[in-house]
Amino acid sequence: MQSFTYERAASAEQAAAAVAARPDAKFISGGTNLLDLMKLEIERPAHLVDISRLPLDRIEETAAGGLRVGAQVRNSDLAADPRVRSHYPMLTQALLAGASGQIRNKASTSGNLLQRTRCPYFYDRNMPCNKRDPGSGCAALQGFNRMHAVLGASQACIAVHPSDMAVAMAGLDARIETISPGGETRTIPIGDLHRLPEATPHVETVLGHGEMITAVTLPPPPPGRQVYRKVRDRASYAFALVSVAAIVEKSGDRIRRARIAMGGVAAKPWRASEAERTLAGAKASDGAFTDAAEAALAGAVGYGGNDFKIPLAKRTMRHTLAAAAESA
Ligand SMILES: Cc1cc2nc3c(=O)[nH]c(=O)nc-3n(C[C@H](O)[C@H](O)[C@H](O)COP(=O)(O)OP(=O)(O)OC[C@H]3O[C@@H](n4cnc5c(N)ncnc54)[C@H](O)[C@@H]3O)c2cc1C
Ligand code: SF4
């Protein structure tokens, strides 16, 4: 590992200013992703600003009836919060489907959102990778791409975002609060936080250098039943091949509204808006769920090793929608 200097931030403003002051500085939160990347010298920050002890570890109720989750709330604590378990159950399900107990005890809300891809070529410094080394090429396009994206990818990069938590948050219309080095704050809809790769896959989010996530706000609990389903290679812990977060609100036997997000299919948590439109007003039935799944994957492209993800994603969506509709 390359040597680095370290400081512990005294406030969010000071942390943002400290990172902004140096182009080679980074925030460190739980460290469960960043330290692994530093050991492999894929990330080489010369200065770390530790934000893990900032008082951003509370989950508070908002005036609107939702929840405000501090950036430093640990994944375990968020999953276990009684308000999250009863009003946002698919968020608890997604968190508990991610990583292992020990990692969830360290992993923070902000770090989980900003964790980097698990593409094996990104981790292998002997291989070309536009995300790690812009302009070097993409080894996954013609390589082992079983885990890779089928939606929203580009010829520059076909990596997926690995977070489970972010997929549930995308389905819940979460909003990300940040603070900039000058003390300005802004709120970003989660769907706008991560960027698709296009020609610059190394630019992964809309955050500026030194801009720090302070909280995630969840709107009031949506009506309907929520389900998160994750398909992975092994049950103990593994990243998603495909995951689906679905909320189905019914009126009689008709679907009033559905909200659907997918994981394991794109460089960002993927909101399946076409599928949502297909379901609005439809009778809750296997036919409607099949139509929705076809709409969601209509633009999907496989790269050989990951072709199986397209039918897998359709099946997972059908089953998740059926489960959510069952007792909605
Ligand atoms: C073996 C293993 C299995 C895993 N399995 C899964 C899984 O199945 N599903 C899943 O979702 N995840 C999984 N993970 C990933 C894990 O969830 C992430 O490592 C973790 O959530 C990252 O959080 P952290 O607080 O440790 O982030 P850190 O490693 O501290 O930071 C990650 C990145 O976020 C930046 N950052 C952190 N906080 C802020 C902030 N407030 N503002 C701006 N930038 C910030 C850091 O600079 C860094 O670039 C797994 C990890 C491991 C090691
Ligand atoms: S898919 Fe993206 S992360 Fe993986 S090798 Fe290609 S450019 Fe790198």
Side-chain angles (χ1 to χ4, degrees), residues 9 29 32 44 49 51 69 72 79 112 118 120 126 136 143 150 169 178 184 210 214 231 253-254 256 260 270 274 312:
S29 186
T32 62
R44 281 171 288 214
V49 178
I51 55 174
V69 181
Q72 289 307 316
N112 189 296
R118 294 282 161 168
N126 296 310
S136 62
V150 292
M169 286 182 170
T178 70
E184 308 86 23
T214 49
V231 182
D253 62 355
R254 301 226 157 244
R256 193 195 293 266
I260 310 165
W270 190 264
E274 301 81 5
L312 179 66

Side-chain angles (χ1 to χ4, degrees), residues 134-147:
S136 62
C138 171
L141 275 174
Q142 308 295 331
F144 182 73
N145 52 36
R146 184 171 176 277
M147 296 295 290

Side-chain angles (χ1 to χ4, degrees), residues 10-65:
S11 68
E13 293 85 340
Q14 189 255 320
V19 170
R22 294 181 58 162
D24 53 5
K26 286 207 80 138
F27 300 108
I28 183 162
S29 186
T32 62
N33 188 221
L34 183 58
L35 287 175
D36 281 354
L37 291 165
M38 287 172 66
K39 284 183 214 158
L40 295 167
E41 297 196 356
I42 293 160
E43 297 253 28
R44 281 171 288 214
H47 185 63
L48 289 184
V49 178
D50 184 351
I51 55 174
S52 64
R53 314 224 177 157
L54 293 178
L56 299 172
D57 58 352
R58 282 188 290 276
I59 305 173
E60 294 160 332
E61 286 159 36
T62 65

Side-chain angles (χ1 to χ4, degrees), residues 93-177:
Q93 291 162 19
L95 283 157
L96 295 180
S100 63
Q102 292 94 330
I103 294 166
R104 291 195 296 270
N105 287 342
K106 284 298 285 178
S108 64
T109 301
S110 55
N112 189 296
L113 285 170
L114 298 177
Q115 63 176 294
R116 306 201 68 192
T117 186
R118 294 282 161 168
C119 170
Y121 300 110
F122 176 69
Y123 286 78
D124 183 348
R125 289 175 55 212
N126 296 310
M127 301 300 286
C129 171
N130 288 324
K131 193 183 273 299
R132 188 188 65 243
D133 187 8
S136 62
C138 171
L141 275 174
Q142 308 295 331
F144 182 73
N145 52 36
R146 184 171 176 277
M147 296 295 290
H148 289 72
V150 292
L151 289 166
S154 72
Q155 285 302 302
C157 180
I158 59 171
V160 294
H161 195 271
S163 171
D164 289 292
M165 181 196 82
V167 176
M169 286 182 170
L172 290 165
D173 291 318
R175 294 169 76 81
I176 314 300
E177 295 177 19

